Amino acid sequence: MVLGIETSCDDTGVAVLGFDGKVLSSLLSSQIKDHAAFGGVVPELASRKHQEAIIPLVRAAFSDAGIDDPAGETGLVAVTAGPGLMGSLLVGVMTAKGLAQAWECPIIGVNHIEGHIFANRIAHEGLDPPFLCLVVSGGHTEVILVRDWGNYELVGKTRDDAAGECYDKVAKILGLSYPGGPEVDRLAREGDPAAFDLPVPMSGTREVEFSFSGLKTAVLWAVSRIRDEKKEVPVADLCAAFQKATVASLLGKVCLASELTGIKRVCISGGVSANSALREAFRDRFRENVYIPPMDLCTDNAAMIAAAGLERFLRFGPSGLDMTPDPSASIA
């Protein structure tokens, strides 16, 4: 069996995967309620919560998988080694090292972005490279050319805010609860996207790059102007206009990447891939050539880390016990 551990940010994930790639169990301990009062993730609090959750979650994952002897049946421990929050990564990596030493089995460090790519491999049997993958979340907005498993090229990324981060900041401007992405998505369905003419970031360039700070500022100015006029802010309309511009930016740059690389198959992954408008837009544009994971594989999870770790182990061998977390690790 492969034990997968994911602690890159504020979700503690543990999964058990067979060497045939079948997910036997996948559990997640969320910290949303712990961080909601602060309007975002507090790194020190996140690492403490990981420490509380991880060992009970490991026990529960093996129990759910029907494994009575983890020490005897675990052939690999796969753990997120970066990018992410240093304190959070340390909890996962040190736990993985301890278990691997105690059970006398190999360990493999996994890039968190590579994990998100593998969410679609779990979900779509027969998905093989080459393809483009848009990894879009609270911390990442990147287009990656997957030439082969383990062979990646960064085609483009955001200059500033990640798309998911921008969703959360816009939600805060509009007085919505944390995390903001699901709230903005829900209200956008009720609003008029034409009510506000918000800019589509980087739409005038021929570079595969993103920028969302200006769009966030445009929403802030619109809200300030409305409040200065002593009017009620049309939250649903602003959500709809913001979401329309964001989705147009993401889709447009992936279309550009497809044109420049000649790659027609596209995957999306990461927390923002759960967004209803984004999923609909990519399905309309790429039809049978788009791959999108189910909701439980969009956000951070350990099943994707176990799957990526198994493939990397079989191709390249294990990591050493001197492996250290890298908060700014790049996939390419």
Side-chain angles (χ1 to χ4, degrees), residues 40-52:
V41 177
V42 180
E44 177 62 23
L45 177 60
S47 61
R48 290 183 182 183
K49 289 296 178 180
H50 284 308
Q51 291 176 27
E52 295 173 7

Side-chain angles (χ1 to χ4, degrees), residues 10-14 27-32 49-50 53-54 57:
D10 61 327
D11 287 332
T12 311
V14 176
L27 301 178
L28 196 69
S29 177
S30 173
Q31 299 180 18
I32 286 177
K49 289 296 178 180
H50 284 308
I54 193 163
L57 214 58

Side-chain angles (χ1 to χ4, degrees), residues 239-282:
C239 286
F242 164 74
Q243 182 153 284
K244 178 184 176 182
T246 302
V247 170
S249 176
L250 294 168
L251 179 61
K253 292 303 183 179
V254 173
C255 288
L256 176 60
S258 177
E259 175 190 335
L260 294 175
T261 62
I263 303 297
K264 304 303 180 185
R265 282 194 298 176
V266 169
C267 297
I268 61 174
S269 59
V272 181
S273 66
N275 180 273
S276 63
L278 187 67
R279 295 168 82 92
E280 181 180 357
F282 271 75

Side-chain angles (χ1 to χ4, degrees), residues 91-131:
V91 174
V93 168
M94 297 309 292
T95 300
K97 286 184 178 183
L99 293 174
Q101 284 183 296
W103 296 342
E104 299 182 342
C105 69
I107 186 172
I108 187 81
V110 178
N111 185 288
H112 181 72
I113 303 300
E114 185 176 21
H116 277 304
I117 293 171
F118 270 77
N120 273 300
R121 186 176 182 183
I122 294 172
H124 304 289
E125 187 176 351
L127 172 64
D128 289 313
F131 58 84

